[in-house]
Amino acid sequence: MNLKELAFPIRIYWDLSPAPDNATIDYPGICREIVEMRFFSLNLRDAGVELSSTCMEILEALNNKPIAVALTVSRSVINPSMMTRLSGLKVKELLIDAFTDEDFRFIAELRNQYNNSTMVIGASFQINKYNYRGIPDIISFCLNNDLTRIVFPMQRLTAKEECFYISRQDGKDLSNKLYPLNTGNLKLTIHDPFLWRVFYPDTAFPGAGCQAGNSMAYISPEGNVYPCPSMPKILGNLNNSPLKILLSSALKKELVKSLRKSPVACLGCKEIDHCIGGCRGRTIALSDSLELRDPACQ
Amino acid sequence: MKIYRNPDVMWREEDEFKEQAYKGLDTGEDVAEIGTSILLHSGKMHSLNVLGTEVWKLCDGRTVEEIISSLGEDFDVDEEVLRKDVIEFLENIKEEGLIYEE
């Protein structure tokens, strides 16, 4: 069916600034637009040591609205009164940034403590060149401690984060180590088709190709709107334009149209059905071209 | 047996495509390939055409017969063809976990 271009995305990622609030951005107005455009989910991230007033303002504005809100925070914000508050605001998923073994233990304990909560508690683990070899140990720990929800967030390449990907050989090695573990009970969120292959080498990536701008959008802490956290192509800034205008702009439509075509370098590749062109944002970040192969493929 | 939408499925109609499909129906075009709604369940996206969307919207505790009867009022289709299509469609979306029976 030809529903390849959605009127508006269904998932929005929104990172808040740990610095003082951007007073010029109309946060309640953006929340109204998000509801009006009928997004399915908001993935809100507040990386501050405390939850910002902006974050609470957004959660309150979306409370009881038909949108699933997942909130990612650092463990320093977690305390009993905050848990009650977030639960009352109907946060669907509470994801806690995990960097160390101690963080994972903390999350597992919290999850056991709030076992009966309707709010799903899980870990957000940003893979990078320093920690990727520890993935099998982390998965093993999670399986042994009933920590079943793990998100591998998209890299913020829009913020010039260092681009990281697992090489084909490292991916195979990791996959062999993961194979004996029964990951079937875990609910993993994997955005990268090549990371997907590490976990599920025999199952095609369950996506319809790069969804930047089509089913997903991203708001950076500065109010910049991008098609995806990993796609460094700015659509505009919320200080100057409403979200709805940016997400229905000719610029966005042209980008989505060009992303529907496979990269020229992938034409004829027998693996295209598996990776569906890979992460196009990563390719742009590293080469400024949509036509080259995702470096993770090599 | 009553049929219900799985409450965990998030969905919305795409107004522009819906309008296009209904215009096509008015002029007798084949609109089977025009997706008019999008569903998201367990990380997987599904797109439904105009008939699929209408069936989906009627999965609110009605029986198969009630769904077919309601669609018969809106779609100018042979009843047996409609019955076969609806039953097949419901089986497919049940397999995907999008609906359940009670």
Side-chain angles (χ1 to χ4, degrees), chain A residues 2-298:
Chain A
N2 68 350
L3 197 40
K4 286 178 178 164
E5 187 179 342
L6 303 178
F8 296 107
I10 55 174
R11 294 170 286 176
I12 188 154
Y13 298 81
W14 192 352
D15 290 350
L16 301 175
S17 172
D21 299 342
N22 190 335
T24 56
I25 294 182
D26 173 16
Y27 295 100
I30 294 165
C31 292
R32 280 193 296 276
E33 285 194 277
I34 287 172
V35 172
E36 191 190 315
M37 285 184 272
R38 295 178 293 161
F39 277 86
F40 290 172
S41 62
L42 165 67
N43 296 269
L44 189 63
R45 167 182 282 271
D46 186 337
V49 289
E50 291 177 354
L51 272 197
S52 62
S53 57
T54 305
C55 182
M56 296 313 291
E57 190 180 12
I58 292 168
L59 293 176
E60 276 160 17
L62 295 175
N63 188 16
N64 289 323
K65 297 287 189 286
I67 184 167
V69 178
L71 175 66
T72 305
V73 296
S74 66
R75 60 181 270 205
S76 61
V77 309
I78 302 298
N79 59 54
S81 75
M82 184 54 77
M83 292 299 286
T84 305
R85 205 164 167 202
L86 295 178
S87 194
L89 287 167
K90 305 208 175 50
V91 170
K92 193 176 178 195
E93 283 198 324
L94 177 64
L95 302 166
I96 297 159
D97 277 323
F99 303 101
T100 63
D101 293 352
E102 200 187 326
D103 290 336
F104 276 101
R105 277 195 292 277
F106 173 85
I107 299 164
E109 277 169 26
L110 188 73
R111 193 255 175 212
N112 288 332
Q113 200 181 334
Y114 290 90
N115 204 14
N116 295 323
S117 170
T118 52
M119 186 166 65
V120 175
I121 295 169
S124 173
F125 181 65
Q126 180 72 65
I127 298 176
N128 59 41
K129 64 182 177 185
Y130 303 107
N131 64 20
Y132 74 96
R133 289 192 178 86
I135 293 174
D137 290 340
I138 286 165
I139 295 298
S140 188
F141 172 85
C142 291
L143 286 167
N144 291 332
N145 290 277
D146 286 333
L147 181 52
T148 55
R149 182 76 180 107
I150 307 170
V151 173
F152 299 106
M154 283 174 277
Q155 279 200 285
R156 270 40 179 176
L157 300 179
T158 50
K160 310 277 182 220
E161 202 172 275
E162 187 185 358
C163 184
F164 170 73
Y165 52 89
I166 297 172
S167 72
R168 191 174 280 255
Q169 188 54 51
D170 282 344
K172 278 183 185 166
D173 293 346
L174 282 174
S175 200
N176 289 337
K177 286 178 184 162
L178 287 167
Y179 184 74
L181 305 175
N182 181 11
T183 55
N185 293 333
L186 296 176
K187 190 182 172 204
L188 305 175
T189 294
I190 300 172
H191 299 277
D192 179 346
F194 292 99
L195 181 62
W196 174 270
R197 189 160 63 184
V198 169
F199 281 88
Y200 310 107
D202 301 323
T203 310
F205 185 63
C210 176
Q211 290 298 305
N214 188 36
S215 72
M216 81 169 66
Y218 169 63
I219 304 174
S220 76
E222 303 78 28
N224 290 330
V225 176
Y226 296 89
C228 161
S230 296
M231 172 76 72
K233 288 272 182 196
I234 191 165
L235 300 174
N237 186 283
L238 293 171
N239 281 307
N240 309 319
S241 301
L243 182 62
K244 194 172 178 179
I245 297 291
L246 298 176
L247 293 179
S248 50
S249 66
L251 181 64
K252 188 222 97 174
K253 286 179 179 170
E254 275 306 307
L255 179 70
V256 170
K257 194 174 160 192
S258 56
L259 290 172
R260 282 211 295 271
K261 293 182 229 149
S262 296
V264 170
C266 299
L267 296 178
C269 175
K270 62 182 190 311
E271 292 183 24
I272 188 82
D273 289 342
H274 202 111
C275 73
I276 326 174
C279 174
R280 308 292 290 276
R282 187 157 52 206
T283 315
I284 286 190
L286 291 177
S287 66
D288 200 28
S289 168
L290 277 176
E291 303 303 345
L292 297 179
R293 208 187 278 187
D294 182 342
C297 171
Q298 288 147 38

